[in-house]
Amino acid sequence: MSEIEELMRKNAELENRLGMLEDLNAIRRIQFSYGYYIDYCHYEDVLNLFAEDAEVVFLSGVYKGHAGIRRLYCDWIQQLFNQGREGADDGFLFDHIQMQDVITVADDRQSAKGRFRGVLLGGSHDIREYRPQGISQQFMESGIYENDYVRVDGVWKIKRLDYVLQWQADYDTGWAHTDAHLQPAQVLYPEDPLGPDYFTGESRRTWPYRQDMPVHYAHPVIAKTIARLDG
Amino acid sequence: MSEIEELMRKNAELENRLGMLEDLNAIRRIQFSYGYYIDYCHYEDVLNLFAEDAEVVFLSGVYKGHAGIRRLYCDWIQQLFNQGREGADDGFLFDHIQMQDVITVADDRQSAKGRFRGVLLGGSHDIREYRPQGISQQFMESGIYENDYVRVDGVWKIKRLDYVLQWQADYDTGWAHTDAHLQPAQVLYPEDPLGPDYFTGESRRTWPYRQDMPVHYAHPVIAKTIARLDG
Amino acid sequence: MSEIEELMRKNAELENRLGMLEDLNAIRRIQFSYGYYIDYCHYEDVLNLFAEDAEVVFLSGVYKGHAGIRRLYCDWIQQLFNQGREGADDGFLFDHIQMQDVITVADDRQSAKGRFRGVLLGGSHDIREYRPQGISQQFMESGIYENDYVRVDGVWKIKRLDYVLQWQADYDTGWAHTDAHLQPAQVLYPEDPLGPDYFTGESRRTWPYRQDMPVHYAHPVIAKTIARLDG
């Protein structure tokens, strides 16, 4: 190989590695924006983070495509917590903290997986007249995301959002004395107008019952050490 | 263009893209350090994160330049919470958690914008004799930052820190039953020796009243999709 | 220098800078995985994040090598909180949130330092029969990590994990009324079968008493400005 060819090969390699880091940042931006949009009930913005054929796994049910995802976020959550309104509502808190990202981009840079932790702080202040039915006046929730992302025409989007509720807590009593008010889905859409399109097939009982949510990636030390020994 | 010229052009492009990722990391480091310095009342270190002509927006008032910023952090906050002392004080908690960064570096890499979420956990343990006046013995606070950064002689600094208080909570009663003790500034410096230099012009009422704090960036999926269609 | 040589030199420089960003990501992945593994008591996975000769500093004692680290995580923590079991246990919460990373890679890219904040939310739901002795039924804890990492045969590992407990809180009463149940180590292994291998020499009293935990890095603005003036 000539020196010029070698330089071209090296440039292509560097560009690919650099592109992977740019992908990581693009995906963090998408997921962190997901949280910021939900803070203020910007559910159209949430919806637009998803690919057309994306799916959301929530409470052991799958919401399919933009129609299904809209049913979950707009018809159910936005309606329940904010009467379908967009934007900040006085006395209403719905902070969606997103953090602890571990993102793995596929070698061809066309898909990626990402694990995140979410912590939710929510409630209705005493001044607020509207109160979501069946929800504590002030509550906390924690969950793990194991999501898939896809690059469509060069733009990263969420392909599959899998949110696994870890625990819920009525603020006043705490997680040790709260049973999750969210339970696995029982009835599909359209029989349940807010139900999922199909079941995952594995019904995950919610807090205080627990299921392990395995990480999507190989052990960051052992896997590489073994690969090195094998290689 | 010769092959050599093409390689040079490619190298310059890669270096620029790489530089943008380095900028992102430099800015995360600055903002995360901001939180770590405040944890232990290192307010000189906080001050030195700001450009000489920087501004801090706090409670609808603007603190201008190092003199104004010192007034806010040292004369007011450090004095109120820790009697003007630097360093860890037994029984005193003032954790400043910084997270969920979305950073946008300008094309010329001379300025940047960054959104962060801050969560504060604070209070005075029973053993502590000093108690800040008018503050709950244990409290939580959450806010959104939409900050500007600038590169001065090659070094990134905070140009404008805009902290928008989202809610405050007395730990014992929670956010549903707490009104923010911090209210929009009413009196300017020097009439109020701790007041801001000028008003933003938009008085943001604090919790339980809410204002939307728009993200500084275009929608990460839609904007790019549209740009692609247009281009 | 010929144009070809200049391009080769530039490529080497870019690869080194790119490698540093990849190192940052590798280290974030290790530390964030540390938290995810502990969430579900995957202590073998935790152990395998450490270099063979690694050390863990905990409560002013040092646990040395894999044998010592196993004693701390498996013999002590896993036994106390989950009766030595791995995996999710119904009614048991031990969330290990990891965040606010500031990572500094050495120029030779063979070692690195990282500061992180950890927040722990733990407890045993009413349905759980087992209760860890001497631990509140629901609790919070916060700490700062100042860790060392090392690259061994090209793979990043934890070299030294230094966790400094900042505060603990019984959920019901809060941090203002809780004394940390964890106190500095008093007896070494093997006299204490769960004790550290040696003392750090500096006994850090725990909450409500506080010690400053300095950041490992130079001030991100001032240090660079001074270096620039000097250079």
Side-chain angles (χ1 to χ4, degrees), chain A residues 4 7-8 11 14-15 18-19 21-22 25 28-30 32-33 35-37 39-40 42 45 48-49 87-99 121-127 137-140 153-157 171-172, chain B residues 3-4 6-7 10-11 13-14 17-18 21 24 28 99-104 115-117 119 140 142 144 166-167 170-179 207-213 215-222 224-225 228:
Chain A
I4 293 279
L7 280 166
M8 285 175 167
N11 267 5
L14 293 183
E15 182 160 25
L18 178 60
L21 294 179
E22 291 172 334
N25 269 302
R28 296 178 80 234
R29 173 177 286 243
I30 285 175
F32 285 1
S33 295
Y36 285 130
Y37 291 145
D39 285 355
Y40 294 113
H42 293 304
D45 287 330
N48 283 325
L49 295 172
D89 196 31
D90 288 339
F92 176 48
L93 181 67
F94 208 54
D95 273 8
H96 264 58
I97 306 175
Q98 305 282 303
M99 53 197 168
L121 305 175
S124 297
H125 188 275
D126 292 332
I127 66 153
Q137 194 186 340
Q138 47 187 350
F139 61 90
M140 297 179 286
D153 294 335
V155 180
W156 284 102
K157 305 183 182 189
Y171 183 84
D172 297 343
Chain B
E3 282 173 326
I4 293 279
E6 171 58 23
L7 281 166
K10 193 70 191 175
N11 267 5
E13 182 210 310
L14 293 183
R17 287 165 57 187
L18 179 60
L21 295 179
L24 285 180
R28 295 178 82 234
M99 51 197 170
Q100 206 171 336
D101 50 295
V102 179
I103 296 164
T104 311
R115 185 182 185 91
F116 291 81
R117 190 192 299 276
V119 173
M140 298 180 286
S142 180
I144 299 287
Q166 296 293 309
W167 51 270
D170 178 330
Y171 182 84
D172 297 344
T173 55
W175 46 80
H177 311 298
T178 305
D179 291 2
W207 179 250
Y209 299 99
R210 304 209 74 188
Q211 274 80 32
D212 200 337
M213 180 64 166
V215 303
H216 69 262
Y217 50 94
H219 190 283
V221 168
I222 287 296
K224 283 186 185 156
T225 305
R228 191 161 297 268

Side-chain angles (χ1 to χ4, degrees), chain A residues 208-226:
Chain A
Y209 300 99
R210 303 210 73 189
Q211 275 80 30
D212 201 337
M213 180 64 166
V215 302
H216 69 262
Y217 51 95
H219 190 283
V221 169
I222 287 297
K224 283 185 186 155
T225 306
I226 290 169

Side-chain angles (χ1 to χ4, degrees), chain C residues 210-228:
Chain C
R210 303 210 73 189
Q211 276 80 31
D212 201 337
M213 181 63 166
V215 303
H216 70 262
Y217 50 94
H219 190 283
V221 169
I222 287 295
K224 283 185 186 157
T225 306
I226 290 169
R228 193 162 294 267

Side-chain angles (χ1 to χ4, degrees), chain C:
Chain C
M1 199 186 284
S2 76
E3 281 173 325
I4 293 279
E5 283 169 333
E6 172 58 23
L7 281 165
M8 285 174 168
R9 193 203 56 73
K10 193 69 192 175
N11 267 4
E13 182 211 309
L14 292 183
E15 182 160 27
N16 191 58
R17 286 165 57 186
L18 178 61
M20 283 214 169
L21 294 178
E22 291 173 333
D23 294 339
L24 285 180
N25 270 303
I27 290 164
R28 295 178 82 234
R29 172 176 287 242
I30 285 175
Q31 193 62 38
F32 285 1
S33 294
Y34 173 87
Y36 285 131
Y37 290 146
I38 292 184
D39 285 353
Y40 295 112
C41 304
H42 292 305
Y43 287 104
E44 288 296 322
D45 287 331
V46 170
L47 195 66
N48 284 324
L49 295 172
F50 289 90
E52 283 299 320
D53 60 347
E55 295 184 331
V56 175
V57 184
F58 188 63
L59 298 171
S60 307
V62 183
Y63 294 82
K64 209 175 149 57
H66 272 220
I69 296 171
R70 180 182 295 279
R71 194 185 323 129
L72 170 61
Y73 288 101
C74 302
D75 298 351
W76 183 2
I77 297 174
Q78 188 175 17
Q79 200 62 46
L80 172 63
F81 284 99
N82 206 25
Q83 300 174 284
R85 289 197 297 261
E86 189 187 1
D89 196 33
D90 287 340
F92 175 49
L93 181 67
F94 208 54
D95 273 7
H96 264 58
I97 307 174
Q98 305 282 303
M99 52 197 169
Q100 207 172 337
D101 51 295
V102 179
I103 297 165
T104 311
V105 179
D107 284 342
D108 67 2
R109 298 186 47 216
Q110 296 306 306
S111 66
K113 289 178 177 291
R115 186 182 185 92
F116 291 81
R117 190 192 300 275
V119 172
L120 280 52
L121 306 175
S124 296
H125 188 276
D126 292 332
I127 65 153
R128 194 185 193 210
E129 277 182 38
Y130 177 71
R131 301 285 164 86
Q133 207 178 346
I135 310 287
S136 308
Q137 194 186 341
Q138 47 188 349
F139 61 89
M140 298 180 285
E141 178 178 318
S142 179
I144 298 287
Y145 300 88
E146 274 286 355
N147 298 341
D148 294 303
Y149 304 86
V150 63
R151 194 205 301 265
V152 182
D153 294 335
V155 180
W156 283 103
K157 305 183 181 188
I158 307 176
K159 171 72 177 173
R160 189 167 188 273
L161 184 143
D162 189 353
Y163 177 71
V164 187
L165 176 68
Q166 296 294 308
W167 51 270
Q168 292 186 309
D170 178 330
Y171 182 83
D172 298 343
T173 54
W175 46 80
H177 311 298
T178 305
D179 291 1
H181 68 84
L182 289 170
Q183 294 295 327
Q186 299 293 337
V187 181
L188 293 180
Y189 176 84
E191 190 183 335
D192 176 352
L194 303 177
D197 292 286
Y198 62 95
F199 297 120
T200 58
E202 164 209 24
S203 183
R204 295 166 179 154
R205 296 180 72 186
T206 52
W207 179 253
Y209 300 98
R210 303 210 73 189
Q211 276 80 31
D212 201 337
M213 181 63 166
V215 303
H216 70 262
Y217 50 94
H219 190 283
V221 169
I222 287 295
K224 283 185 186 157
T225 306
I226 290 169
R228 193 162 294 267
L229 290 175
D230 288 356

